[in-house]
Amino acid sequence: MKPIAIGINLNRTLARNTLIKVTAFVLVVIMAVMLTGSLYFRSNVYITDNGITKEARTNETTALAILGEQGYYVGAFDSVEFTSDDKYSYINIIRAFDVYVTADGETVTIPVIGGTVEEVLGRAGIVLGEFDTVSFDRSEDVYDGMEITVTRISYSEHTETAVIPFETEYVDNTNLQIGYEKVLNEGSDGESLLTYKDKYINGVLAGSELISEDVTTAAVAQIIERGTACAVPYAKMSDPSALTLVDGVPTDYTRIVSGKATAYSSPKVNPKTASGRDAVVGTVAVNPNVIPYGSELYIVSQDRKYVYGYAIAADTGLGMMEGTVAVDLFCASYADSCKWGAHYVDIFVITEGKG
């Protein structure tokens, strides 16, 4: 029986030793795991995304690897800033935002992390013309959702021909009756070359400005001679345009003397007047105390049917001095004086004589 007891004790001793060995192995493994973990998570990293910072532990050494490990997505236009030392790493993610650029009838989306309007236009491939405008100052910083519009402005010139209508000029003739007209020159249209400056906004004509006008063919005026007397004057002016008549009477005069007008002639050759002037058609007899000799006159009947015309006060007579007759009109013949007879007239004194 004694050998059996020894065997049992030996088995117990072996079991105890095995347990001690296993326990020691487990402790070694645990310590190894703990030690290995301490070496694996060797640094802290601080990740800032859109202003929100998160702390993590990693043994990765590059920003993209760390971000991938931590589940961060980085877009193609996002920017990543990375700094690191022996103990800490810092990652700052700057997210891109969209800016919209409209030009030439098309809107494009430009993702950016910042910059100026000028830089975004460059990213969009927009080349500005000399007169193009932009909805924002080119030096202004862009922001999320900014809508930039480019307005295309261009200028061009074109020419047109235009007709220059001829004008009508009238030559007044005091020796002709109102209503008489005669075309002295037919007149003709001219032509001019007009140059316009056209403004286009986004390819659409917005307005034109006349910048020059060159006459290539001058217009020639139509000239019409017209009568201005109430009736054909008996005493006609040597210069029919020297006196201006409106409705058959002078426009400029000093006064009007009204009264009876008779007519006379002389059988003598080269007769003289009381003032010493030759008695010719256009000289009249007056009361020199009322109308001084040398006065220029225009005489027309009060009913405007008869016109003696332009005259010079040069003679006198008994009827004028007595006041029964205002003026006696010299005629070329006795027949003409009889034809005139007597009419009540208005004597327009154009200039006062000196006697």
Side-chain angles (χ1 to χ4, degrees), residues 193-273:
L193 183 66
L194 307 178
T195 301
Y196 290 90
K197 183 178 183 180
D198 301 324
K199 180 179 182 179
Y200 289 87
I201 297 179
N202 291 329
V204 178
L205 181 63
S208 296
E209 177 188 1
L210 178 65
I211 58 176
S212 69
E213 180 176 2
D214 299 316
V215 176
T216 54
T217 304
V220 178
Q222 181 186 55
I223 299 176
I224 298 177
E225 181 184 45
R226 64 183 177 184
T228 58
C230 294
V232 176
Y234 182 78
K236 296 178 175 59
M237 296 185 69
S238 58
D239 181 3
S241 63
L243 184 64
T244 301
L245 302 179
V246 174
D247 295 329
V249 299
T251 56
D252 296 315
Y253 53 87
T254 62
R255 57 195 173 104
I256 300 175
V257 178
S258 299
K260 186 177 182 180
T262 56
Y264 74 107
S265 62
S266 174
K268 298 178 181 180
V269 177
N270 298 324
K272 295 290 185 180
T273 62

Side-chain angles (χ1 to χ4, degrees), residues 8-135:
I8 292 171
N9 290 333
L10 180 60
N11 289 337
R12 289 178 177 174
T13 301
L14 292 173
R16 187 182 302 112
N17 290 338
T18 299
L19 179 62
I20 292 171
K21 290 179 180 179
V22 170
T23 301
F25 176 77
V26 171
L27 290 175
V28 170
V29 170
I30 291 173
M31 290 179 66
V33 169
M34 292 180 64
L35 179 60
T36 302
S38 178
L39 292 174
Y40 182 77
F41 297 106
R42 74 175 190 277
S43 66
N44 290 345
V45 60
Y46 296 91
I47 303 171
T48 301
D49 184 6
N50 275 345
I52 300 175
T53 301
K54 174 183 175 182
E55 182 182 3
R57 295 174 61 82
T58 183
N59 82 329
E60 297 290 351
T61 58
T62 66
L64 291 180
I66 296 172
L67 292 175
E69 175 191 64
Q70 299 298 322
Y72 286 90
Y73 169 77
V74 179
F77 299 97
D78 295 336
S79 176
V80 176
E81 297 175 346
F82 178 62
T83 57
S84 179
D85 54 30
D86 292 338
K87 296 179 63 178
Y88 302 102
S89 296
Y90 301 91
I91 299 175
N92 183 30
I93 304 174
I94 303 172
R95 297 293 182 181
F97 54 85
D98 290 334
V99 175
Y100 306 96
V101 179
T102 300
D104 304 317
E106 181 181 1
T107 300
V108 295
T109 302
I110 306 298
V112 296
I113 60 172
T116 64
V117 170
E118 184 83 34
E119 292 168 341
V120 170
L121 292 176
R123 283 273 310 278
I126 302 297
V127 178
L128 296 175
E130 180 181 0
F131 305 104
D132 294 343
T133 61
V134 182
S135 56

Side-chain angles (χ1 to χ4, degrees), residues 308-346:
Y308 182 77
Y310 178 77
I312 299 292
D315 207 354
T316 189
L318 183 61
M320 279 63 70
M321 297 306 295
E322 291 179 347
T324 57
V325 177
V327 63
D328 203 8
L329 312 174
F330 187 85
C331 294
S333 66
Y334 176 74
D336 286 350
S337 64
C338 292
K339 186 176 179 181
W340 175 270
H343 298 283
Y344 283 91
V345 298
D346 288 329

